[in-house]
Amino acid sequence: MDLISIRDLDRKTVERLLDSADAIANGKKKPDMGGKILATLFFEPSTRTKLSFQSAALRSHMGYLDFDPETSSLRKGESFADTVRTVEGYADVLAIRHPKEGAARLAADFASKPVINCGDGANQHPTQTLIDLFTIRRCKGRISGLNVTLLGDLKHARTMRSLVCGLAMFGANVTLVSPEGLEMDQAYVDEVKGRFDFKVTARNEPDYRNADVLYVCRIQQERFADPYEAKKITEKFMVKKEAIEAAREDLVILHPLPKVNEIEAAIDGMKQAKYFDQAHYGIPVREAILEYALG
Amino acid sequence: MDLISIRDLDRKTVERLLDSADAIANGKKKPDMGGKILATLFFEPSTRTKLSFQSAALRSHMGYLDFDPETSSLRKGESFADTVRTVEGYADVLAIRHPKEGAARLAADFASKPVINCGDGANQHPTQTLIDLFTIRRCKGRISGLNVTLLGDLKHARTMRSLVCGLAMFGANVTLVSPEGLEMDQAYVDEVKGRFDFKVTARNEPDYRNADVLYVCRIQQERFADPYEAKKITEKFMVKKEAIEAAREDLVILHPLPKVNEIEAAIDGMKQAKYFDQAHYGIPVREAILEYALG
Amino acid sequence: MDLISIRDLDRKTVERLLDSADAIANGKKKPDMGGKILATLFFEPSTRTKLSFQSAALRSHMGYLDFDPETSSLRKGESFADTVRTVEGYADVLAIRHPKEGAARLAADFASKPVINCGDGANQHPTQTLIDLFTIRRCKGRISGLNVTLLGDLKHARTMRSLVCGLAMFGANVTLVSPEGLEMDQAYVDEVKGRFDFKVTARNEPDYRNADVLYVCRIQQERFADPYEAKKITEKFMVKKEAIEAAREDLVILHPLPKVNEIEAAIDGMKQAKYFDQAHYGIPVREAILEYALG
């Protein structure tokens, strides 16, 4: 079973995946895939996604192979199709990351083994979204009806597009907060609204006093022509301890990591900061995904 | 037991290896090497040979270590002998690839653990040859008496030299087809003829209407001084759909991969194209080789 | 349990570790860590330390993950603390090497999982010291009272500082032999003398006629301003076959490897040369360390 986009999954399937990850995280379920092999094919680096999948494979009694395109035949001019067709013969499931949109679905077409999309360009990153939904549900007991604020550069962040779709599926109230010019593509938001019944509002001011969940992503200085402007805006959108103390006491702060300076370091030690837990939940969720993919 | 050159093996040993690989490919035999460790020492990159060996190790219940000379002590001036003597202490069997001819045999002299040659310069690549023989035998039921055409740059292709020796051992009829100036070294062909009773003919025209097996390898444009000439010749030797349709219906087309444009893409989907199967057969054949090496 | 510096361990703990490694080396003990995961985080390359730990992990029925900072989020500006906090969620024990002194202890503060120091700058390299002590004890039956000569650049060699502390703990008689200007830091030697009752003398002449153990480390030509002077000194301190034949017959020669030209190649085949054994003892010693850390 391929996992290419969160949009291919219905709510029931997502819930089954989250339930399975829950059982694994609680130690109630220990998948044993009997020595099956995961091949990671990362055409652009993403250390933690790769390590997290390899760790999940080891935890599930699988081995892993790491295909490194840098030193590979691709440099001799081999086609993407040929690479996928060859490597799939060495493994039982392929985890692919690629800088180009659609690459994962293309690979799934070529391969007879299951393909897991670990991010294709600005398009989808479904395993991250499943981790995000899992973390929210585990911290808050539910997703439906929660006020979830997404904050940062919503135009370029791949994880945010996938996440909006996941939150919509579960009926969360989504607030999109971004600097002017870095809003999430309106056509995409409209399309999600057409598919799911959920509330979504957009804003250019960082305000999350009413949020149950605050999901932060990076604003890269390179997005702005004027360095002074860039500094002013990243400073304005930086999450500060003071603001968190003024927000709901049971606020949950998430971040896909790595973070640089979008969250004040003093927040790391606060009970609201759940982003390291979120990273660690990557293991049980990806164990559940491997089990799903393999069958 | 070392595996350095196909020329060190007698026909009986090769047949035993192919039989063993057959049993593994059919699921009738599942080697369990009980956690023994393979170390890959690749002094030049060859992604698929390495991955294929690592996959075979995992399938045989072994672990693997990947020694990367790029980031290693070699750069601090350590001798090849010292590297081999050190790394062999970490593993049970060494798979070595090296740009210099004779490096694998040298390593086998230094090491007390078994050494498998994964290609040493333009010299030998015995595990590829075993895969090639295995694929031919599996696709055609035998090797003896088959018309096997080797097509491409036979002067520089390492796999072809090993393969001629393997085909000669089994009494195939070999036709060597290459552009003028890229013929296989005549002294080498004569030496193989002196050792085995087999037919071999050479030709500079791409004609394989009578072939049971067509084994294609690359012709690098860089081999020609004149780019126009290069283009003309690679075009002339390119395997085209039309020519395959005019050849024997049960023709088997092989290629060591990666391929670039020496085989028309439309052929990939034809039943004659067996090069991806050939790549996948690398796993059972290398499982058989690991078992042979470890004893 | 962290392992940051040999100075954190008392003699009893060291002896227990060496005994455990002995049992493993003799095949009397086969640790089974039940699929636990080692993550290697090497912020500077050290191929053999890393491979040796990975091999020890495989031998102890563990898996390993290799975190490569080169292709990682660190380059996106992530803090060392965040990296450690994230990666520890993927594994059960972390083996860290870092160019900066104190980095391992810092990591141990951030991490809730055990941290093993695999070398932090010019500071400590405790697992190498345990291997050195193990090798001496295994070759000579004891450490106490032995004449151990350390020869080379004792100013910069990290392993030598750790080793002096280990030898002092066991009451060896240590002779420090180095070129002028490359002596071990006197304040450090004095501090160790203040902690342990042992004899230590220093000298600028390479003389080891009275030594039971000769531990050689490199003298880098780059340490000298004048290339002619450099050549003269490295030549003078090079260990030669002739000198070994004039030394004690049961002399044991050690070296942390890789070596370049500080030991004459002809010595490699002599029974006094124990440096490859020393490298191979890295596996049982590190198996014992993993058990200690996880236990």
Side-chain angles (χ1 to χ4, degrees):
Chain A
M1 197 70 121
D2 300 319
L3 176 57
I4 306 302
S5 167
I6 197 74
R7 304 165 72 183
D8 300 341
L9 305 178
D10 56 20
R11 184 168 161 165
K12 209 166 181 169
T13 306
V14 172
E15 277 179 335
R16 224 169 36 222
L17 274 163
L18 301 187
D19 290 345
S20 173
D22 245 328
I24 294 166
N26 294 335
K28 284 184 181 160
K29 183 176 167 177
K30 296 183 188 298
D32 183 347
M33 308 312 289
K36 285 210 156 47
I37 299 174
L38 165 74
T40 51
L41 285 83
F42 275 44
F43 293 88
E44 66 176 11
S46 175
T47 309
R48 60 195 63 219
T49 303
K50 189 164 82 176
L51 283 179
S52 174
F53 253 114
Q54 292 174 341
S55 177
L58 291 175
R59 295 282 186 220
S60 299
H61 301 274
M62 296 175 64
Y64 66 80
L65 298 173
D66 185 18
F67 173 83
D68 178 7
E70 275 308 295
T71 58
S72 89
S73 312
L74 282 177
R75 293 176 67 187
K76 299 182 193 160
E78 187 181 52
S79 71
F80 181 61
D82 274 18
T83 299
V84 169
R85 280 183 196 127
T86 305
V87 174
E88 73 156 331
Y90 304 163
D92 300 296
V93 53
L94 309 179
I96 295 185
R97 187 184 186 97
H98 201 283
K100 289 206 183 129
E101 299 181 26
R105 199 171 304 275
L106 196 64
D109 277 354
F110 296 135
S112 60
K113 306 280 173 65
V115 168
I116 300 170
N117 183 8
C118 294
D120 56 335
N123 188 28
Q124 286 282 327
H125 194 354
T127 69
Q128 180 66 48
T129 300
L130 288 168
I131 294 163
D132 298 341
L133 295 175
F134 178 81
T135 307
I136 294 172
R137 204 183 73 163
R138 202 163 162 100
C139 292
K140 307 299 278 180
R142 62 184 172 114
I143 300 169
S144 167
L146 287 181
N147 294 325
V148 181
T149 296
L150 311 187
L151 178 130
D153 175 356
L154 303 183
K155 186 174 181 181
H156 301 95
R158 156 171 47 202
T159 48
M160 294 307 204
R161 289 165 66 100
S162 276
L163 181 55
V164 162
C165 186
L167 292 169
M169 182 187 280
F170 284 88
N173 307 316
V174 178
T175 308
L176 302 170
V177 176
S178 57
E180 239 170 297
L182 298 180
E183 289 91 355
M184 188 172 286
D185 177 44
Q186 190 57 42
Y188 180 79
V189 176
D190 287 343
E191 197 213 305
V192 178
K193 278 208 295 207
R195 295 181 60 205
F196 299 105
D197 183 30
F198 81 118
K199 278 183 228 150
V200 56
T201 52
R203 198 187 298 154
N204 293 121
E205 289 301 312
D207 172 2
Y208 30 86
R209 273 168 302 178
N210 201 36
D212 297 299
V213 175
L214 172 62
Y215 198 111
V216 186
C217 70
R218 201 160 4 143
I219 300 170
Q220 289 182 286
Q221 305 239 352
E222 295 75 18
R223 301 296 183 194
F224 301 90
D226 175 357
Y228 175 73
E229 182 72 3
K231 209 168 167 254
K232 226 178 63 185
I233 288 176
T234 50
E235 172 67 21
K236 176 180 166 188
F237 281 82
M238 189 198 231
V239 178
K240 301 217 179 63
K241 200 180 174 195
E242 211 170 56
I244 297 306
E245 286 168 345
R248 286 198 179 175
E249 219 198 327
D250 60 352
L251 176 68
V252 161
I253 311 173
L254 302 180
H255 189 294
L257 300 181
K259 60 185 170 68
V260 183
N261 54 7
E262 51 274 23
I263 297 178
E264 223 179 29
I267 294 172
D268 288 0
M270 294 176 78
K271 70 177 195 321
Q272 289 93 331
K274 297 292 188 191
Y275 26 87
F276 293 115
D277 292 336
Q278 180 188 8
H280 300 177
Y281 287 145
I283 312 301
V285 173
R286 288 188 167 115
E287 283 192 78
I289 290 168
L290 286 170
E291 194 188 42
Y292 167 81
L294 284 164
Chain B
M1 197 69 121
D2 300 319
L3 176 57
I4 305 303
S5 168
I6 197 74
R7 303 166 72 183
D8 300 340
L9 304 179
D10 57 21
R11 183 168 162 166
K12 209 165 182 171
T13 307
V14 172
E15 279 178 333
R16 224 171 33 224
L17 274 164
L18 301 188
D19 290 345
S20 173
D22 246 328
I24 294 166
N26 294 335
K28 285 186 181 156
K29 183 175 165 177
K30 296 183 188 297
D32 182 347
M33 308 313 288
K36 285 209 156 49
I37 299 173
L38 165 73
T40 51
L41 286 82
F42 275 45
F43 293 89
E44 66 176 12
S46 176
T47 309
R48 62 194 64 217
T49 302
K50 190 165 81 176
L51 282 179
S52 173
F53 254 115
Q54 293 173 341
S55 176
L58 291 175
R59 295 282 186 219
S60 298
H61 301 275
M62 296 175 63
Y64 65 80
L65 297 173
D66 185 18
F67 173 83
D68 178 6
E70 274 308 295
T71 58
S72 90
S73 315
L74 282 177
R75 292 175 68 188
K76 300 183 193 160
E78 187 180 53
S79 72
F80 180 61
D82 274 17
T83 300
V84 170
R85 280 184 195 124
T86 306
V87 174
E88 72 155 332
Y90 304 162
D92 299 296
V93 52
L94 308 179
I96 295 184
R97 187 184 187 96
H98 201 282
K100 289 207 183 128
E101 299 182 26
R105 198 170 305 275
L106 196 65
D109 277 354
F110 295 136
S112 59
K113 305 280 173 65
V115 169
I116 299 169
N117 183 8
C118 294
D120 56 335
N123 189 29
Q124 287 281 328
H125 193 355
T127 68
Q128 180 66 49
T129 299
L130 289 168
I131 293 163
D132 297 342
L133 295 174
F134 177 83
T135 307
I136 294 172
R137 205 183 72 163
R138 201 161 163 102
C139 291
K140 306 299 277 181
R142 63 188 169 112
I143 300 170
S144 168
L146 287 182
N147 293 325
V148 179
T149 296
L150 311 187
L151 178 132
D153 175 356
L154 303 183
K155 187 173 179 182
H156 300 97
R158 158 171 46 200
T159 49
M160 293 307 205
R161 288 165 66 100
S162 277
L163 181 55
V164 162
C165 186
L167 291 170
M169 182 187 280
F170 283 89
N173 306 315
V174 178
T175 308
L176 303 170
V177 175
S178 57
E180 239 170 297
L182 297 180
E183 290 91 357
M184 188 172 286
D185 178 45
Q186 190 58 41
Y188 180 80
V189 176
D190 288 344
E191 197 213 305
V192 178
K193 279 208 294 207
R195 294 181 61 205
F196 298 104
D197 184 29
F198 81 118
K199 277 183 229 151
V200 57
T201 52
R203 198 188 297 155
N204 292 121
E205 289 302 310
D207 172 3
Y208 30 86
R209 273 169 302 178
N210 201 36
D212 298 301
V213 175
L214 172 63
Y215 197 111
V216 186
C217 68
R218 196 152 18 134
I219 299 170
Q220 289 181 287
Q221 306 238 352
E222 296 75 19
R223 301 297 182 193
F224 301 90
D226 176 357
Y228 174 72
E229 183 72 4
K231 210 170 165 253
K232 225 177 66 182
I233 289 177
T234 50
E235 172 66 21
K236 175 179 166 188
F237 281 83
M238 190 198 231
V239 178
K240 302 217 179 63
K241 202 182 173 192
E242 210 170 57
I244 296 305
E245 285 167 344
R248 288 196 179 178
E249 219 198 327
D250 60 353
L251 176 69
V252 161
I253 311 173
L254 303 180
H255 190 295
L257 300 183
K259 60 186 170 69
V260 183
N261 54 6
E262 50 274 22
I263 297 177
E264 225 180 27
I267 294 173
D268 288 0
M270 295 176 77
K271 69 178 196 319
Q272 288 93 331
K274 297 292 189 191
Y275 27 86
F276 293 115
D277 292 336
Q278 179 187 8
H280 300 176
Y281 287 146
I283 312 300
V285 173
R286 289 188 167 115
E287 284 192 78
I289 290 168
L290 286 171
E291 193 189 43
Y292 167 82
L294 284 165
Chain C
M1 197 70 119
D2 299 320
L3 177 57
I4 305 303
S5 167
I6 196 74
R7 302 165 74 182
D8 299 341
L9 305 178
D10 57 21
R11 182 167 163 166
K12 209 165 183 170
T13 307
V14 172
E15 278 179 335
R16 226 170 32 224
L17 274 163
L18 301 187
D19 290 346
S20 173
D22 245 328
I24 294 166
N26 294 336
K28 286 185 181 157
K29 182 175 167 178
K30 296 183 189 297
D32 183 346
M33 308 312 288
K36 285 209 156 47
I37 299 173
L38 165 73
T40 51
L41 286 81
F42 275 45
F43 293 88
E44 67 177 10
S46 176
T47 309
R48 61 196 61 220
T49 302
K50 188 164 82 176
L51 282 179
S52 173
F53 253 113
Q54 292 173 341
S55 177
L58 291 175
R59 295 284 186 218
S60 300
H61 301 274
M62 296 176 63
Y64 65 80
L65 298 173
D66 186 17
F67 173 84
D68 179 6
E70 275 308 296
T71 57
S72 90
S73 314
L74 281 177
R75 292 175 68 188
K76 299 183 194 159
E78 188 181 53
S79 71
F80 181 62
D82 274 18
T83 300
V84 169
R85 280 184 197 125
T86 306
V87 173
E88 73 156 331
Y90 304 162
D92 300 296
V93 52
L94 309 179
I96 295 185
R97 187 185 186 96
H98 201 282
K100 289 207 183 128
E101 298 182 26
R105 198 170 306 274
L106 195 64
D109 277 353
F110 296 135
S112 61
K113 304 279 172 68
V115 169
I116 299 170
N117 183 7
C118 294
D120 56 335
N123 188 29
Q124 288 281 328
H125 194 354
T127 70
Q128 180 66 49
T129 299
L130 289 168
I131 293 164
D132 297 341
L133 295 174
F134 178 82
T135 307
I136 293 171
R137 204 182 74 162
R138 201 162 163 102
C139 291
K140 307 299 278 181
R142 62 184 173 114
I143 300 170
S144 167
L146 287 181
N147 293 325
V148 181
T149 296
L150 311 188
L151 178 131
D153 175 356
L154 304 182
K155 187 172 179 183
H156 300 96
R158 156 172 47 202
T159 49
M160 294 307 205
R161 289 165 66 101
S162 277
L163 181 56
V164 162
C165 186
L167 292 169
M169 183 187 279
F170 283 88
N173 307 315
V174 178
T175 307
L176 303 170
V177 176
S178 57
E180 239 169 297
L182 298 181
E183 290 91 355
M184 188 172 285
D185 178 44
Q186 190 58 42
Y188 180 79
V189 176
D190 288 343
E191 198 213 305
V192 178
K193 278 208 296 207
R195 294 181 60 206
F196 299 104
D197 184 30
F198 82 118
K199 277 183 230 151
V200 57
T201 52
R203 198 186 298 153
N204 293 122
E205 289 301 311
D207 172 3
Y208 31 86
R209 273 170 302 180
N210 201 36
D212 297 299
V213 176
L214 173 62
Y215 198 112
V216 186
C217 69
R218 197 150 18 133
I219 300 169
Q220 289 181 288
Q221 305 238 353
E222 295 75 19
R223 301 297 182 192
F224 301 91
D226 175 357
Y228 174 73
E229 183 71 5
K231 209 170 166 253
K232 225 178 65 183
I233 288 176
T234 50
E235 173 66 22
K236 176 181 166 187
F237 281 83
M238 188 197 234
V239 178
K240 302 219 179 62
K241 200 181 175 192
E242 211 170 56
I244 296 306
E245 285 167 345
R248 288 196 179 178
E249 220 196 328
D250 60 352
L251 176 69
V252 161
I253 310 173
L254 302 180
H255 190 293
L257 300 181
K259 60 185 171 66
V260 182
N261 54 7
E262 50 274 24
I263 297 179
E264 224 179 28
I267 293 173
D268 288 0
M270 295 175 76
K271 69 177 196 321
Q272 289 92 332
K274 297 292 189 191
Y275 26 86
F276 294 114
D277 292 336
Q278 179 188 8
H280 301 176
Y281 287 146
I283 311 301
V285 173
R286 288 187 167 115
E287 283 191 77
I289 290 168
L290 286 170
E291 193 189 42
Y292 167 81
L294 284 163

